[in-house]
Amino acid sequence: MITDVVLKEKQTDQNLNDFSFEDIGDDHLFTGIETPMKKDAFKISDEKKKEKIAGLFKEIMNVMGLDLTDDSLQGTPQRVAKMYIDEIFSGLNPANKPKVALFENKYKYNQMLVEKNITFYSNCEHHFVPIIGKAHVAYISSGKVIGLSKLNRIVQYYAKRPQVQERLTNQIAEELKGVLGTEDVAVIIDAKHLCVSSRGVKDNTSATVTSYFGGKFNTQEKIVELQNTLNY
């Protein structure tokens, strides 16, 4: 008799075009622009989530053979739970989405505005290890402007969740387009993935670059202008 677990694994393998998870290995899967979430993801409170995560992580540590009576390890399950919910995965909760105020473009500035070298820390959704990088975002005002710090906060919000870099790039771009009311948006992300450098192939020198060029930025002239600005 085939168990439910095996059936689920077989069904999942079919969704991967008949490749198994081991066949896929470290290859980059990208299922869509939306972060995969359960419909009842926020049915329980953050405090309850932290309580559950602490219990589950304690079990993981037990299975690994760690001595949870040691002074250094006793509080680790609670620390990890708090870190997951309140910090590194806080971007999963829409309640934490930054509130953005727009202002009239009274300076009549109609050239591109670039916020570069926005440092972010995310986590690979395949191995739950860090992605460390810099984001560069740019836009051309359609009549409204946004506070500079809000550009950073939008990047951080989408970075603070299990991520794939392609999705992160598109999510930031789509958010900026919606907030600013313009297609004239560009996003470039340059990041190192610890799932590549600290495990697997263990390549510590490579980096991954992704980009989104919308509206007026999707021309050779504007792309070159943006690249020259970033290289200053």
Side-chain angles (χ1 to χ4, degrees), residues 94-111:
N96 296 323
K97 190 173 183 177
K99 293 179 174 60
V100 175
L102 295 179
F103 305 94
E104 293 292 334
N105 184 12
K106 294 182 179 180
Y107 296 111
K108 304 301 180 184
Y109 182 75
N110 59 4
Q111 301 300 311

Side-chain angles (χ1 to χ4, degrees), residues 126-176:
H126 300 137
H127 298 96
F128 272 50
V129 293
I131 300 170
I132 303 169
K134 292 186 182 296
H136 316 291
V137 299
Y139 75 93
I140 299 172
S141 174
S142 62
K144 300 286 186 179
V145 294
I146 187 175
L148 294 180
S149 68
K150 293 300 189 292
L151 296 174
N152 297 63
R153 292 185 187 280
I154 288 171
V155 170
Q156 302 302 341
Y157 172 69
Y158 286 103
K160 290 181 178 178
R161 54 180 68 182
Q163 270 293 13
V164 176
Q165 187 170 325
E166 297 93 324
R167 180 192 295 130
L168 175 60
T169 305
N170 286 334
Q171 285 180 336
I172 294 169
E174 291 300 323
E175 182 67 19
L176 290 173

Side-chain angles (χ1 to χ4, degrees), residues 112-129:
M112 65 180 184
L113 183 147
V114 183
E115 183 82 358
K116 66 179 185 178
N117 295 327
I118 302 173
T119 301
F120 71 86
Y121 298 88
S122 190
N123 279 267
C124 163
E125 69 180 35
H126 300 137
H127 298 96
F128 272 50
V129 293

Side-chain angles (χ1 to χ4, degrees), residues 42-59:
F42 306 104
K43 187 176 181 179
I44 61 175
S45 68
D46 283 356
E47 291 307 312
K48 189 64 177 177
K49 286 181 180 180
K50 283 185 273 190
E51 181 183 329
K52 286 178 173 287
I53 290 171
L56 292 167
F57 200 79
K58 182 177 181 180
E59 183 59 24

